[in-house]
Amino acid sequence: MRTGDYKQSYGELVALIDSPPVWLWSAVLLLALIAAPHLLNSYALSFLMIILITVTGALGLNILTGYTGLISLGHVGFLVTGAYAYAVLVSKYHMPPLVGFLGAGVVPALASLIVGAPSLRLKGLYLAITTLAFSFIINTVILEMRWLTNGARGIQVQRPEILSISFDGDAAFTYLCLGIAGLTLFATLNIRRSRVGRAFVAIRDNDTAARVMGINLHAYKLFAFVTSAFITGIAGALYGIYLSFVSVEGFPFLLSIEALAILIVGGLGSALGAVLGTVLIVLLPEATRLVFSLFSAQMDATFTTGAQELKSMLYGLVIILFLRFQPRGLVGAWHDIKRTWVHWPLRY
Amino acid sequence: MIKHLAAAALLLTTACLAIGPAAAADPGITDTEILIGDVEPLTGPPALLGVAASIGHKIAIAEANAAGGINGRKIKYVLEDDGYVTARTIQGVKKVIDVDKVFAMIGISGSGQSIAVMPVLEKSGIPTVIDVAPVKFLWEPPRKNVFVVGQSYEEGIIHLVNFLADKNPGKKWGLITQDDDYGITVRDGFDSVVKAKKLNVVYSGNYKKGQQDFSSDMLQLKDSGTEVFLAGGIIAENIAMMKELEKLSIKPVTGIFWPGRIEPVLKLMGPAGDGIYAVDYVEPFAGAAGKAFLEKAKPLVSEAELKGINRYTMTGYAAAKVLISAIERCGKQPTWACTIAELEKTKNVETGVMAPISFGPGVRFSNQKLQIMQADTATLSFKPVD
């Protein structure tokens, strides 16, 4: 008797959703997400908003770092560029929010060409440092272009109204974030299974071999940069709307590191990994606080008044534990669980 | 019989109307407790500010509780750390409002953070008194439920530069500011006096936030022949600038702004900080009011908290006093509407740590009186000079 999940054709191998149970669980998750804004209080809903915005940004970074293997330490630069592009177009020049979102994608995508072009010959640590420098340059440019960006004063951003639908309320804004995160997930999953996605992965695995196979390294690397920056810029616009105030201070460098941590914890190169990593990293401190608060009120108080130090420690600890015991991240752990479930009591 | 029934019905209706609001009372209030929430940076570098402000809130609350609480209800303080990260300030405020269900808010982190949470506060309608970062956006336009205790940065700088200009006529001026919102505000205030008093500005610098090395900036300042210097840093930057000037053996008349007017700064500056001028709207600890406040605080806070007291403790204390007194004036059944109305009626409330506080119809900013003080490194204190 055959056991396990076998693929017998190329079509099955690249299918977006490959089995009925996955369809079912995806539908259940979607229904739960649609119901959530009406069931959760404003505090819990803020976590859902942050998760959806972060998922969008993490999926953007995943195209560059996860799929193509180009490490970026400067993605916060694209995030802040997207936020400012939206804020300037919508709040300052009173353009429709849809134009704002388009600008939030296009402006960072154009900026990515500037940083991407000189980075084509760079790999690993050298590329990481180049992108890091880019994020600092972007901040300086924003601060200096006061006539456009208000400099350090920042720009107020209202919740948008798109096609006569107001996204002013938290529930409505969550749906907007959900829609964009869903579209991004769908798009990145499709990129991964397309010819372009396979080229990205080939470059990641061995760029010399990829070139020998006829892949234009420069074009695909630039495309990875542009796509990644476009998606990250959209996430930046959502984040700016969530904050209701766009300033360089609202986008600290640490966000770039958190995004990388999300990919590592979730599983590099996997869209599902980016989603799982985001959920874990965003909810970890709150979940830990809730668990400890069951034991002692003192512990709860420590978590609220020393929250940021404890959160940093938790992030660090989780990353170390994942790198040591499950370097393939949550996705790797999930695959192991599935395999164990199918083959039990056999080991393989 | 009918009369009795009518009277009973009337009594019942009146009771329902009277008790109704209490039954559907605003959150954060029970028969024995009133919850007050706060979100501050309690970790990271700005913790110096957030911790001190929260100690001020605790002192006012402990003082009120020692006197029997608010009309018999003890005040409970719910404090959340945001690490000075805007997204976490928003989450923190949502947590204390939605999960802890506080009755009123106080404090609220830094300027960018309080600007970002303004839509949340406005939408919730919760009575709020902000005391940490008085920036114009918080009271212009006035929001129904948000009150700000303090003075604007622009007014502070104008007061300081006017004082120094009058005291040092015809001198050469130098200025250095940070490349952020705070720095722009300092520069705007300075520029408005430059025009009015026709000051001779020979050096005007701008430094990047987080900069530690001011050797080249101070060398340029020396070369420019600056005689009166406005150090527009916050804490560490002002210390670094003064140390650099000491190395260069020059000592211009120096003015600093209130975010850095805290006693540990003088200790770190050493002799270089002696005689520098500062502007503030809270009393210096070296004065009678400051000493009285410290004496009051001693039995109410722990040893560690006592060491964390600085000027922000006074701003926090004053804001908490104003809020508590407004809730108290609402009597046995305080509501949000009543508290907001009473906050609006606040007139010359004495706190002992700054000039009396007042608000009014459409006036949500207390607009505190300013004073100039001078550093004395021998006693590590600031003393009033005007």
Side-chain angles (χ1 to χ4, degrees), chain B residues 78-89:
Chain B
V78 181
L79 181 59
E80 188 85 14
D81 175 26
D82 70 353
Y84 215 58
V85 177
T86 314
R88 284 161 191 166
T89 316

Side-chain angles (χ1 to χ4, degrees), chain A residues 41-44 46-50 136 139-140 143-144 146 150-153 156 159 168-170 239 242-245 247 249-250 252 254 258 282 286 289 300-301 303-309 311 315, chain B residues 42-44 79-88 90-92 94-96 98-101 111-113 115-120 123 137 143 154 178-182 184-188 206 208-209:
Chain A
N41 66 22
S42 161
Y43 176 55
S46 70
F47 278 102
L48 183 56
M49 281 187 259
I50 286 285
F136 290 124
N139 275 2
T140 308
L143 289 174
E144 291 303 318
R146 282 188 205 171
N150 288 2
R153 285 251 155 91
Q156 286 290 314
R159 294 272 174 94
D168 189 36
D170 279 356
Y239 193 56
Y242 171 77
L243 294 180
S244 77
F245 178 64
S247 75
E249 282 191 19
L254 204 64
E258 275 187 16
V282 174
E286 189 61 13
R289 187 184 70 81
D300 188 27
F303 259 90
T304 53
T305 55
Q308 297 313 313
E309 278 168 3
K311 278 177 186 174
Y315 289 155
Chain B
L42 304 173
T43 51
L79 181 59
E80 188 85 14
D81 175 26
D82 70 353
Y84 215 58
V85 177
T86 314
R88 284 161 191 166
I90 295 174
Q91 279 193 315
K94 285 185 173 181
K95 178 181 176 276
V96 290
D98 288 338
V99 179
D100 300 316
K101 298 205 179 298
S111 54
Q113 286 75 16
I115 289 171
V117 296
M118 203 48 68
V120 179
K123 223 173 257 182
F137 177 85
R143 276 100 179 160
E154 286 96 336
Q178 191 162 280
D179 67 341
D180 63 353
D181 188 29
Y182 166 74
I184 293 172
T185 311
V186 170
R187 190 167 286 273
D188 286 351
N206 194 27
K208 190 157 180 56
K209 194 176 178 182

Side-chain angles (χ1 to χ4, degrees), chain A residues 14-68:
Chain A
V14 296
L16 191 62
I17 292 179
D18 61 357
S19 67
V22 177
W23 271 111
L24 181 69
W25 284 114
S26 302
V28 169
L29 178 66
L30 185 65
L31 285 175
L33 285 170
I34 289 169
H38 300 289
L39 302 173
L40 300 175
N41 66 22
S42 161
Y43 176 55
L45 203 54
S46 70
F47 278 102
L48 183 56
M49 281 187 259
I50 286 285
I51 286 173
L52 293 168
I53 295 168
T54 311
V55 159
T56 308
L59 286 169
L61 180 61
N62 192 45
I63 289 176
L64 190 71
T65 303
Y67 291 173
T68 324

Side-chain angles (χ1 to χ4, degrees), chain A residues 120-289:
Chain A
L120 293 173
R121 291 178 183 278
L122 302 174
K123 280 197 288 189
L125 196 59
Y126 298 95
L127 179 64
I129 299 299
T130 307
T131 51
L132 172 69
F134 164 75
S135 71
F136 290 124
I137 290 168
I138 279 291
N139 275 2
T140 308
V141 169
I142 289 168
L143 289 174
E144 291 303 318
M145 290 173 70
R146 282 188 205 171
W147 57 273
L148 184 70
T149 62
N150 288 2
R153 285 251 155 91
I155 302 173
Q156 286 290 314
V157 184
Q158 303 291 324
R159 294 272 174 94
E161 189 181 308
I162 301 171
L163 306 173
S164 302
I165 303 167
S166 169
F167 292 96
D168 189 36
D170 279 356
F173 184 61
T174 307
Y175 286 132
L176 179 67
C177 296
L178 178 61
I180 291 176
L183 279 175
T184 310
L185 181 63
F186 184 71
T188 54
L189 282 171
N190 274 305
I191 287 173
R192 173 64 186 86
R193 68 202 187 109
S194 70
R195 188 169 162 275
V196 174
R198 291 198 300 279
F200 286 164
V201 174
I203 293 169
R204 179 191 69 191
D205 290 347
N206 190 322
D207 59 353
T208 309
R211 182 183 285 178
V212 169
M213 284 192 288
I215 292 169
N216 183 336
L217 292 190
H218 288 189
Y220 278 100
K221 279 185 179 180
L222 271 185
F223 187 65
F225 256 109
V226 168
T227 316
S228 176
F230 185 92
I231 295 171
T232 310
I234 300 283
L238 286 177
Y239 193 56
I241 297 168
Y242 171 77
L243 294 180
S244 77
F245 178 64
V246 173
S247 75
V248 289
E249 282 191 19
F251 295 80
F253 167 67
L254 204 64
L255 289 178
S256 283
I257 304 298
E258 275 187 16
L260 275 178
I262 283 168
L263 295 193
I264 291 167
V265 167
L268 262 177
S270 159
L272 177 64
V275 176
L276 294 177
T278 302
V279 173
L280 180 76
I281 290 287
V282 174
L283 292 185
L284 181 73
E286 189 61 13
T288 315
R289 187 184 70 81

Side-chain angles (χ1 to χ4, degrees), chain B residues 327-341:
Chain B
I327 301 173
E328 203 156 35
R329 291 198 299 272
C330 286
K332 290 281 177 193
Q333 298 296 339
T335 59
W336 282 7
C338 172
T339 305
I340 291 165

